[in-house]
Amino acid sequence: MRLSTEASQAAVTAIEEAFGSISGADALPGWLDGPRGDALAAFVRAGFPAARAEEWKYTNLAEVIGSSAERLKREPAAADRALIGKLVSRVPRRAGDPTVVIANGRFDPELSSLPGASEQIRVSVLSEASDEDRARYAAWLSEDSCEDAAPFAALNAAFVQDGVIIDIDRDARIAATLHLVFASDSSAAHTQTRVLISAGERSSATVIEHHVGAGDSWVNTTTDIECTESSQLTYVKLQDESEDADHIAAQEVRLASNSSFRAAHFDLGARLARNDLRVRLMGPGAHAEMFGLFLADGRRHVDNHTRIDHEAGDATSFEHYRGIMNDRGHGVFNGKIIVHDGADGTDAQLNNRNLLLSRTAEIDTKPELEIYTDDVKCAHGATTGQLDEHALFYLRARGIPARVAKHMLVIAFAREIL
């Protein structure tokens, strides 16, 4: 059941009233009051996405909207140290890899570790921002106060609990992987966090954003990425939230000339998961590769929306997402490529493949191409199917049990992304 327009507007009004009364409003420094207030005004103007909105028509936000005001009124309790520690320990890391831990929306210095990172990577946390970083944080939040601000990004900026800015030095070659771990326990009514990654000229680095949780919570996170000229960044987002959690995330990526961005998204958990990834190729020679794997079983709902804007000529992009749905799981994939006027020499490829393992599983897929110039090479496609009966028979004929044979074929389907 979807909420009526009146009910959705009532939720927005309740959120506006909650903004001035939540105890967390005093937890952040006063210099953020202006940007946060402007972001709230932008959210109130936009409201929650309408049920008829094309970008949201396959994802029912009724439960998220209906409980949003009540969740935002509650400041997350102090993190359960033992549980958070257990969740963080599940994240695979190499010894010596720098790690930033955000527990229940707040930076946790005890669980974080930045050995040697300060030499070529500078990490700034909003709750401990220096005087010189304050203007940068304020300007960053103000970006989500414009007329066309995305509703959840504006809501995130208004109720932000903590944020992380990562600056990678120019010419730096970072061998270690930087881990950003977001952990929520059952007392986290909501978490509103932000990440900004800036890769310096000719730098090279890998960042993993890992979300883990336990219990009922609402995660709303925003990540902005800037790849300056000739930089190379690998970005992995792994969402493994509790099956009682709602996870809404957005990433905005800007690529300068000759920069390279490789991304991999994995959705393994959450009751409802929505991920919006937008990549803008703004300089000639920019290159983007995007891979994704999403799993939806039980009654889980996973929605991936991607958009690639080719704004400069001689840029390339390659995108490949795969979905696996079982039981009553519902998957959504919408991939859009826009080749703007003047972006001659563009080479863009988009592919989505989906596997349905039950009669009640569902997938809605929509690859799109919009081309406003000549001299381009673009292709897109999508397929949806079941396990190959001939392949199953081949494995069964060699003594492999049916359940194991199906498992082998599913793993083989996923392995091309992994």
Side-chain angles (χ1 to χ4, degrees):
M1 179 179 179
R2 293 181 179 269
L3 286 184
S4 65
T5 302
E6 293 77 12
S8 180
Q9 185 56 48
V12 172
T13 302
I15 289 174
E16 188 175 17
E17 294 173 352
F19 181 78
S21 61
I22 58 172
S23 59
D26 296 329
L28 289 174
W31 53 268
L32 281 178
D33 290 349
R36 291 174 65 232
D38 293 341
L40 177 70
F43 169 74
V44 172
R45 288 195 304 268
F48 283 107
R52 299 184 303 275
E54 181 67 24
E55 297 291 305
W56 291 88
K57 68 178 183 180
Y58 296 117
T59 297
N60 189 346
L61 293 173
E63 291 189 22
V64 173
I65 295 173
S67 62
S68 58
E70 188 61 34
R71 281 173 159 174
L72 291 170
K73 287 178 183 177
R74 292 166 48 203
E75 183 67 12
D80 182 329
R81 303 293 303 172
L83 179 54
I84 292 295
K86 186 180 296 185
L87 291 171
V88 173
S89 68
R90 287 169 39 189
V91 177
R93 287 164 290 166
R94 295 175 299 184
D97 278 353
T99 303
V100 175
V101 176
I102 305 294
N104 283 7
R106 306 287 186 186
F107 172 65
D108 191 317
E110 295 182 15
L111 292 175
S112 301
S113 174
L114 297 170
S118 59
E119 297 178 5
Q120 295 182 307
I121 301 178
R122 178 174 172 269
V123 178
S124 169
V125 182
L126 186 152
S127 55
E128 301 178 0
S130 63
D131 291 340
E132 63 179 289
D133 283 335
R134 290 186 176 186
R136 193 175 178 191
Y137 274 106
W140 180 23
L141 293 179
S142 296
E143 292 180 5
D144 291 319
S145 304
C146 57
E147 290 295 329
D148 59 347
F152 284 102
L155 187 66
N156 172 281
F159 286 86
V160 63
Q161 294 161 330
D162 219 333
V164 181
I165 291 182
I166 301 166
D167 290 302
I168 302 168
D169 290 349
R170 61 187 302 176
D171 297 313
R173 292 290 187 268
I174 311 299
T177 297
L178 175 61
H179 293 262
L180 304 175
V181 183
F182 297 82
S184 302
D185 63 28
S186 57
S187 64
H190 71 98
T191 58
Q192 313 284 328
T193 54
R194 301 177 71 89
V195 177
L196 172 60
I197 304 170
S198 179
E201 295 180 4
R202 299 177 297 280
S203 64
S204 175
T206 298
V207 177
I208 296 180
E209 183 179 320
H210 200 134
H211 295 260
V212 290
D216 183 10
S217 64
W218 172 29
V219 176
N220 181 27
T221 180
T222 298
T223 301
D224 291 309
I225 298 174
E226 300 174 348
C227 293
T228 59
E229 186 172 353
S230 301
S231 62
Q232 299 178 5
L233 182 68
T234 298
Y235 169 80
V236 179
K237 178 176 180 289
L238 200 154
Q239 181 271 114
D240 193 14
E241 299 277 8
S242 160
E243 293 186 0
D244 295 321
D246 298 318
H247 181 95
I248 297 177
Q251 301 90 43
E252 178 90 15
V253 185
R254 293 173 289 276
L255 304 182
S257 301
N258 300 313
S259 61
S260 175
F261 175 72
R262 301 182 73 243
H265 280 67
F266 300 99
D267 281 287
L268 310 178
R271 172 177 50 202
L272 180 148
R274 164 74 179 223
N275 200 75
D276 285 275
L277 171 61
R278 183 184 181 187
V279 178
R280 299 174 61 192
L281 290 85
M282 306 173 68
H287 174 72
E289 295 180 29
M290 297 152 56
F291 300 90
L293 177 67
F294 53 98
L295 312 179
D297 56 3
R299 291 182 175 273
R300 294 179 52 239
H301 180 96
V302 182
D303 182 350
N304 274 286
H305 269 61
T306 68
R307 171 171 167 167
I308 302 176
D309 286 89
H310 281 263
E311 302 178 15
D314 299 317
T316 56
S317 65
F318 176 81
E319 180 177 1
H320 189 176
Y321 270 65
R322 292 196 172 195
I324 302 173
M325 274 61 65
N326 197 12
D327 306 320
R328 293 185 176 275
H330 185 188
V332 180
F333 175 79
N334 186 296
K336 178 183 289 188
I337 297 174
I338 302 177
V339 183
H340 293 258
D341 185 23
D344 296 338
T346 289
D347 185 350
Q349 310 292 323
L350 167 63
N351 188 9
N352 172 230
R353 296 185 180 182
N354 303 289
L355 185 61
L356 300 180
L357 300 178
S358 71
R359 292 182 178 274
T360 52
E362 184 179 355
I363 178 70
D364 292 289
T365 178
K366 184 182 179 184
E368 300 180 71
L369 269 178
E370 295 183 17
I371 302 174
Y372 298 98
T373 190
D374 299 322
D375 187 25
V376 300
K377 179 182 178 182
C378 298
H380 71 301
T383 61
T384 299
Q386 300 172 323
L387 292 176
D388 187 337
E389 292 295 333
H390 295 289
L392 279 173
F393 177 80
Y394 177 87
L395 295 173
R396 293 293 308 282
R398 279 146 184 81
I400 299 175
R403 182 177 179 182
V404 176
K406 291 181 179 179
H407 182 73
M408 291 172 64
L409 293 177
V410 171
I411 291 297
F413 179 82
R415 189 174 295 279
E416 288 192 35
I417 298 298
L418 297 175

